[in-house]
Amino acid sequence: MPGEHRLWQESNARMDQPRRCFLSGRVLSGLPVRVAVFRFRRHGDLFRTFFEHLGAETEARAFLLECLRCLQSQGVMRLVVPDAGAYLRAYSGPWEVLAEMRPLARMADGWRDNRLGWIYQTKMQFMNAIFRQRAEHKYAYDAETLVLALRQAGFVDVVVQQFGVSIDPKMAPDSDDRRTESLYVEGVKR
C-alpha cells in the first residue's frame, strides 16, 4: 500500500534509556507519536526506496512536515534518492558512464539493468526507467530540488552529503550498492 513503510527510530521518551524499535503504519496519515521526541536514523535504504515514490507537492511535503514534527530538537533527517542530476549529466556521454552508475551489462540487444532485469535499447528508455520506474516513482530529485524541499518544510542547515558522511555521527551506515547513483541530503530540526 502506498505510504506504508517501517521507520527505525530511537526514542528518548523515557529520558533514562533510549530504546530502539520500528514504527509501522501509513506514514502519510501521520506518524504514531504525540510529541517531538524522536531522532530518526536512516535504516538500510528505507528513505532511498521511499521518498521518490511520493508526489512532490502533496505526499512528499506532508511527509517532511510530519518528520519535522516528530524529530526532537537538533534531530537529523537524512534522505537518499536516485541522483537525477547525476543521471542527466551522464546522459550526453557514452553508455559506459551510465553503466558504471547503475550498473548495467552490455547485451547483444541493448543494456541490461542488473537491478530491475530490464533491457534498454536507448538512453531515453533507461532514463524513463530511472525517473519513472513504471509509474512507481513520482518525482526525480537533483541536489538543488531536494535541498529546497527540506528547507521549505522547515529544516535548517540543509546540506548535500557524501556517501558515509553525516551531520550525526551515529547515523546508520549507508548501503554501498547504491552509492554511485545516490544523492544524500540532510537537514536539522531547529
Side-chain angles (χ1 to χ4, degrees):
M1 174 176 279
E4 242 181 90
H5 293 274
R6 296 182 340 150
L7 302 179
W8 182 83
Q9 54 83 20
E10 180 178 288
S11 169
N12 289 325
R14 290 182 46 215
M15 300 307 282
D16 59 340
Q17 181 74 37
R19 64 178 200 245
R20 293 183 175 100
C21 65
F22 281 98
L23 297 175
S24 294
R26 191 158 165 69
V27 296
L28 299 180
S29 299
L31 297 174
V33 295
R34 295 182 199 176
V35 293
V37 295
F38 295 98
R39 292 184 64 180
F40 287 94
R41 305 276 195 238
R42 187 179 156 275
H43 179 71
D45 277 335
L46 169 70
F47 290 129
R48 192 207 183 284
T49 61
F50 173 68
F51 197 70
E52 65 273 16
H53 293 256
L54 303 177
E57 297 301 319
T58 54
E59 300 166 320
R61 181 158 172 75
F63 174 73
L64 290 174
L65 290 170
E66 185 66 0
C67 287
L68 185 69
R69 179 186 75 83
C70 294
L71 275 173
Q72 65 185 0
S73 180
Q74 301 305 306
V76 175
M77 176 72 177
R78 182 177 182 92
L79 293 175
V80 182
V81 297
D83 190 344
Y87 276 116
L88 290 172
R89 287 186 298 276
Y91 178 79
S92 63
W95 266 105
E96 289 75 14
V97 175
L98 294 168
E100 282 184 35
M101 290 174 70
R102 181 68 182 162
L104 304 171
R106 182 73 172 121
M107 308 295 286
D109 56 347
W111 291 83
R112 184 179 191 281
D113 188 321
N114 292 335
R115 292 203 180 99
L116 298 175
W118 303 344
I119 295 179
Y120 313 110
Q121 295 176 324
T122 71
K123 289 182 192 175
M124 190 52 68
Q125 288 175 327
F126 171 71
M127 297 303 270
N128 274 290
I130 296 301
F131 293 161
R132 302 291 300 149
Q133 197 168 314
R134 293 193 176 150
E136 292 176 17
H137 290 180
K138 293 184 180 178
Y139 206 81
Y141 292 91
D142 64 356
E144 181 181 28
T145 307
L146 191 54
V147 165
L148 178 65
L150 283 163
R151 285 184 179 147
Q152 287 179 334
F155 288 91
V156 297
D157 300 326
V158 180
V159 294
V160 176
Q161 291 288 19
Q162 297 301 312
F163 172 82
V165 176
S166 176
I167 297 168
D168 184 344
K170 295 179 183 174
M171 187 66 68
D174 294 317
S175 177
D176 191 54
D177 70 322
R178 304 271 179 137
R179 170 186 207 160
T180 58
E181 65 173 347
S182 295
L183 169 63
Y184 305 87
V185 175
E186 292 180 338
V188 177
K189 179 176 180 177
R190 193 176 306 250

